[in-house]
Structure formats: C-alpha cells, structure tokens
Amino acid sequence: MVASADALTPPAARALADAVPTLVCLCRDELIVHLNPAGGILLGIDPVEAQGRCFADFLAEPCRSAMATGLASLLEAPGAVPVCLIGADGLPRDISLTAHVIDPGTLSGTAPLIALSGIDSRAVGRAARDLAEQQARGRRIVEAVLDPTFLLDGAGRVVFLNAAARRLLDVDSPGEVSGLTLADLLHPDYQDVVDLGPAALAAEGEALPLKLLRMDRSAVDVEAMVVPFVGPDSFLLEARDITGRVRAAEGLRQREARLRGILDTMGEAVVTVGEDGLVASFNPAAENMFGYSAREMVGHSLHALMPSEVAANHDRYMARFLLGRPSQAMGHHRELEGRRKDGSLFPMEITVTVLRVGARLLFTGILRDITERKRAERAERAHRVELERRVEERTRELAALGQRNQSILETVGDGILGLDPEGRVVFANPAVACILGGSVDHMVGLPVGDVLRAARPGSGGGCPAEIRAAMADGRAHGPLEVDLLRSNNTAFPAELASQPILAEAGLGGTVIVLRDITERRQVAERLRIAGIVFDSTSEGVLVADGAGLVRQVNPAFSGLTGLAPGDVLGQPFLHLLAHDARTAAALTTALTRSGHYEWEEWRRRPGTGEAGDDGRVALRVAVNEVRDGAGQTTHYAVVIGDITRRKLDQERIQYQASYDSLTGLPNRRLFMDRLDQAVAQAARRGHRMGLMFIDLDGFKEINDSLGHQAGDALLVAAARRMGHCVREADTLARLGGDEFTVILSDVADEAACRGLAERLIEALSRPFDLGERQGHISASIGSALLPDQAANGEELLRRADAAMYHAKARGKANHQPYRPGMGRTPES
C-alpha cells in the first residue's frame, strides 16, 4: 500500500508537504496517500500508518455528517472551513481546513490528488511568524529537485528557479532572471499559453509540450506541468528536456512516412489487427479490394471483411493462439473467402504474421485477390486442361520486436526495392533476390539500372525508360509489363510499378514493386490454345455459369443446333436442352445426385432440304457439373455429339432383326414379342383376344411353276391386301414361307374372328398380276380365343395352327375356329 501510494503521488508534492509545519494531508478517492510529519504530531499517529485510511475517520461526528458528500464539500467552500479532528488519544483538535486539487489524475488514469491544509486555530499567529521560514525552506527543496523547476507567483513572474532550471536556460546566477515573467521564458509561438496564466495551466492537470528560450534566445523543447504551491498565488512549474525525444520522434516520423509510401504502392492488401480483433491499419490496396475506406475500418472489427463462417473460425484460431497453443495459420498461405462492402464474396489468399510490440500483439495479414486465378483454373478444368498452380515458398524470419513494417515487407510475395533520390538501392526485400537471383546485401548500394536490367533489344540493358522517367519527374508509374534479366542473364516477363516517396524537403526516394508474371503468361498461352481447341472441335460445347446461364458456345454447337451465340448467351441452358418436362426433371435430379447426365434424342436438322437429307439429326447430349474445391457449383459443361450415322445403323439392324425383309411385316421374333405383350395386356384389362393362323393355298404351285421371283411378288401383294383388312391395333406378321398370323388385341367374340376371316379370304381369292400371267390362290384360316380356348400365348398359337389344318382338311379356302379335340394333322 505504501509503495503504491508513493507511486501515485508526485515527489515534489510529498517534499513540499513534509516541509510545511502545519497539517498537510494528500488524498485520492477519499483515502490518505501521504500525511506530513506535522499532521502526524497533530493527530498523534505515525504518518505511515495513516496511509490508506479514509480522512473522514478522523472527523468528529458532527463534522462527519456535515461532510457526507466527501472532500468535494471542502473544494466547493469559498475559504477555510472550521472542523474538529479526533486524535489517536481521543481528544478533539479544532483546526481551519482548506482543500486544493494539485493533480486531476488525467495522466496516470487515477482519481484527482487533493491537498488538505489544516492550521490549528491556536497556532494562526504562530503560522504567520513561520511563513518566511517556510518560503526559504520551500526554495531549498525546489533547489534540490533534479528536474528543472520554477516558482511562479499568481501573475506569472519568476520568483525562483533551481540549479537544473538554470542549466537548462544557460543562466549563470538567479539574478539574471530577476523580474522575468513566464512570457519572457516562452517562445512567441506559445503566447496563447501565456495568456491563460499559471492558474489556468495548473487547472489543466497534465503535462504540456512547450518551447523555452535560453539566454541566447535559442529554443529548447520541454514537457512542463504547472501545479499549485503553498497558497493560492504560488505555483510550481516542473519542466523536462525532451529535445532528444522530439528529434527521435521526427526521425521515426520520416521512417514511417517512407515505409507508408512503400505500403501504399504495394499491389497486395495489408491489414493489421490487434489482439482485440480491431483493425489497426488498412492500406490503399485493401481499400480497393474490399470497398471500405481506411476510416471506415480502422478501429472496427475485422468481421466486416469475412463471411460469418470464416469469422467464427478466425475467432477460434485467435483464442487458441492467445492461450499459447501453436497455430498452423501463422506464416503460411491460406485460401479463404473475403466479403466486400457490397456483400459479395470473393476468393483470396492470405499470409498472417504475428509481431509483439511491448506488451501487445499485432497480427498482420497480406491478402491477395485470386478471383482471376480461380476463374482461369475453372475455365481450364471446363476444357479438360489442368492448370499448374504456382507454388512459391517464402520463408522469412521476423525482425526484432518493434519492426512491424519491416516484417510486413519481408513477407510480401512481390519484390520491393527502395531507392534514394539518386536512384541507388537502399532497401530490397527477400522476394527481389528470389525473383532476380543474387542476394539482398549485394543489391543494396547499387544503381537501380544494375539491378533491374531490361532484356528488350535497344533498351541499353538498364532500368526501363518509362520507370526512369517517372523517377526523374517524381511521379508514380502504373503497372508496366517488361522483359527483365535475372542475375544469370536469363529473361523472364515481369510487371513493374513505381511510387515516389515524398518528404518535407521534396522527393525522398522511390519505391519499385516487381512481380514475376511468368505463370500468368503461361496460363494465358494455355487458355489461348484451349480456345483454339474449343473453337475447332467437331463436338458442340456449351459452358454455363453456376446459375445455369449460358456464357460461351463454340461454332460446332451452333452448327448442330442451329442456335447462334446471340440466341443463347445469357439464357438458362436447361431450357435450351430439355424440350419436355420429363427430360428437364431427369436432368435436374441427376445433376443434384451425381453432377452428370446424358441422353440421346432426335432433332430436326438445321438447314434441311439438301439432297438425301430426311430432316433428322440424332444427338448425344452430356451435361457435367463443375465444382470448386469447396464443393460449390461454378459451371456447367455441355458436350453435344452428332450420332446420326450410328443411330441409323442401329435402327437398320433392329429393323432387319424384327421385320421380314420381303414383305416388311413383323417377323416371327417380333410377332412372339407382340403376342406376349397382347396376352399380358388382355390379362391386365380382363379383355378377350384372338389369334388367326393363315396359310396361302396354291402358293407352292405358283412358286414352282413361275419361279421364285413371281412367288416373291405374290407374297408382297398378298401381304398388302391382308394389311388393308386388319385394324391398326392388330398385328399382321409373316412367320415364314406362305404362313401368316394376325394378333387381334381386343375382340368381342368368335363372330369377330369369322368376319375378319371372310374379308381375308375374299381379298386373297382375287387374281394377282404377276407380269405376263395371273396367279390364283386361296387361304385356309384357323383361329383361337384367349382365355376361352387357351391360357397363354404359346398355347394360343398351337391351337390356332391346329384349327388352320382343319380348315385345309375341309377343302381349303375356309375358316375354322378352334374346337376341343382338334389336333394338327398332315395337310391333305
């Protein structure tokens, strides 16, 4: 408690209080922090034991009640207040008590320091006699103070100055300042301070920066504080020479200005954050990247720059790191999502370093907007070409504590050169050495033309002329693409930018930012080649964004679909590809589940009407969903191929396998398939169906006598006549030779079969024109019904066949329905 109280009490105030022969008590927050020896004698207590006690403890009960508001009531009194104090022996002491604020507490952050001066009512006369001795003693105390100290009266006249003050002002003897005032000691720039007067300066309660004039009228920078001395018209001015500090601050300001100029030219955003998560600095590149001004961000939470999920993770990382747990995020590159002022999200790469400044930790992030790089990667994946991402390892050691800006420069991926006004290198970060080769120590001191050597013919081999001109004019030069030489004389593409460093005396130098753009050039070349492939491939290609809107199509797409780029760009690709609700639903479901869907379809060929063109084109459509590393859909890639030839070949093969090549009627294979379908449908619906077996009477004789060509012609004509007799829902098929069948999908009864049989017999009995001769045939027809006479398709066919043989046995050219007991017998 004693050490703490002493630390919170100005030494001069304690010394002066101890020199006063009457009670002086120094209090903060109603508690005694110092009691002078005279006060200890008056109260009969050791002054050390009084420290920490409430002054009200020594008041008699009536006085304690009157001062219920504390020492504030004494400060508000116009003069001395009579009070009664109770000493350690329990006896009262009548004194006159006055209160003064000698330290408002604004510098130390504590409560005001109040001085209570008490005079024993019986000792008033004696106090006047001792006044002269007190003043002399006060001067001796002031003389012993180490800091320059001045005693001023209420009018600001110098009453006394100690040895330290005389040395500060180069005064040989106190008589040299006799009659001088505070106005004579202060620089003319501080006339306003003089006008305030000592009492107003004492009321400020805090140290003020001033300029004092020595005897030779030269100025010296001091930090001064004015406090009341004993009595209302006496003041103590304590000064401290801060000339060295001012010079150091000016040097620091100039270095900060140079480093700030370097940071302002960087193409990467630099954000510094304190332990509390509030932004401490925000460079122009960060303003451009996020859309916030530095004024909007400094002093505010970093959360404004992150999506909510990233912000939550950031808080957890910070909490773990501050607890001393290692973090893999520090010093490594990470890819995160940033959030701009307008709420839009974008990908960024971030490198975080931590620096301790005194007791505080500062976290500095180097941020790069990698939207273009991500877009290039996605485009290359869409064209089935994988980009090679540049991975460049940057390792640096943090500079000594307090070198925050130096640490930032050493972690930047771009090369940075700091030049003096003559164009010589005074600073180079490790990235420059990595890009150009060589070492940082070798570069420092060289002309910039020896470090940045242009590879362009006719350039003279030095720094590019555009940059040299900008340096000479003291102006900035935006990004410039040039070819430079490394230390081993190999050329590489680079991007340069320069920014002047302005100082009070004019141009203080130049900052040059260097970036190796070899990878950017390679990506551009690969994209150019991919574009050639995209435009020249025979397959139609469509690329849509994550929202499903068409962004690009190649010429083959327009050729296959007949849709020009202007017809489809910006349109939903789903509506262009899916022509019916079923396809649209299947496509949407498949993309949601697996990210892929494909189908085949026939479309009308663009530009139909050419010879041999039936107006149809068969297309194979494949849709693939493209996602980023986070699983978010970024694009849709659609590939359309012309498979017309393959589909036609498949249809021809399928037709040949299912239809009779002579008559074009379904063959036995297709007949059996349709018979099974008809049986299943009849059973499902509860309907009756029928089957007719037809054999052409007399065909064999015509075929043998007139030849196979005449026989084939007769079969074709007979199939045509029978086709006119049956319904569209029925199936007429040729099983082989001169045997035909008819599947009746829905019949009422046996009479319906009989009616169709009569029409068939009549149609086939008419003569057939076979060229030079006519052919005459008839038909034997057998029929059976399901479920009346058969339980399944195979049994139905056997019984219709048996009925047909009975028709032949009855003289041909007739129809016989199946009856129980019929069996197939040899043809008569």
Side-chain angles (χ1 to χ4, degrees), residues 116-131:
L116 302 177
S117 301
I119 302 177
D120 190 336
S121 299
R122 297 169 296 176
V124 173
R126 189 176 57 204
R129 293 192 299 270
D130 295 337
L131 179 59

Side-chain angles (χ1 to χ4, degrees), residues 674 722-732 742-745:
R674 291 191 178 178
M722 288 188 287
H724 292 316
C725 296
V726 301
R727 301 172 301 178
E728 288 187 6
D730 299 336
T731 298
L732 172 64
V742 179
I743 300 174
L744 303 170
S745 59

Side-chain angles (χ1 to χ4, degrees), residues 8 10 28 103-111 204-208 223-225 227:
L8 297 176
R28 283 191 196 274
D103 178 10
T106 56
L107 284 178
S108 60
T110 59
E204 289 290 327
E206 59 183 28
L208 301 174
E223 189 176 66
M225 184 171 181
V227 297

Side-chain angles (χ1 to χ4, degrees), residues 152-171:
L152 308 174
D153 62 14
R157 288 187 295 270
V158 178
V159 177
F160 179 76
L161 72 168
N162 68 352
R166 294 195 294 275
R167 287 193 298 272
L168 178 67
L169 301 183
D170 198 17
V171 175

Side-chain angles (χ1 to χ4, degrees), residues 616-693:
R616 297 192 308 157
V617 58
L619 300 178
R620 176 184 174 273
V621 184
V623 182
N624 287 283
E625 188 179 45
V626 181
R627 300 181 179 179
D628 59 16
Q632 299 296 318
T633 300
T634 60
H635 288 85
Y636 294 92
V638 180
V639 179
I640 301 177
D642 186 347
I643 58 170
T644 305
R645 176 58 56 192
R646 177 168 65 83
K647 293 294 290 185
L648 290 175
D649 290 343
Q650 290 177 349
E651 288 184 356
R652 184 173 60 256
I653 294 171
Q654 184 177 4
Y655 182 84
Q656 291 173 350
S658 302
Y659 291 86
D660 178 47
S661 60
L662 178 63
T663 64
L665 296 177
N667 60 12
R668 177 181 290 273
R669 176 181 175 183
L670 183 56
F671 162 75
M672 294 303 297
D673 182 63
R674 291 191 178 178
L675 177 60
D676 291 340
Q677 292 180 21
V679 170
Q681 185 176 14
R684 191 166 53 250
R685 296 181 178 178
H687 293 170
R688 179 181 288 109
M689 66 161 289
L691 179 64
M692 304 186 73
F693 204 108

Side-chain angles (χ1 to χ4, degrees), residues 534 540-544 550 552-554 557 573 576-577 636-639:
F534 181 81
V541 180
L542 176 150
V543 179
V550 178
Q552 191 176 10
V553 295
N554 69 345
F557 176 88
F573 81 94
L576 297 174
L577 300 179
Y636 294 92
V638 180
V639 179

Side-chain angles (χ1 to χ4, degrees), residues 48 136 145 219 243 257 274 291 311 335 375 390 449 698 740 742 750 784 806 819:
V48 175
V145 176
T243 304
E335 291 184 5
R375 184 178 293 117
R390 177 176 58 127
F740 296 84
V742 179
E750 199 173 82
H806 277 272
R819 294 289 182 267

Side-chain angles (χ1 to χ4, degrees), residues 789-813:
Q789 298 155 353
N792 53 54
E794 184 179 351
E795 187 176 21
L796 187 65
L797 178 61
R798 287 200 308 270
R799 293 188 173 177
D801 180 53
M804 182 273 294
Y805 273 92
H806 277 272
K808 277 187 173 293
R810 287 180 174 272
K812 304 179 182 179

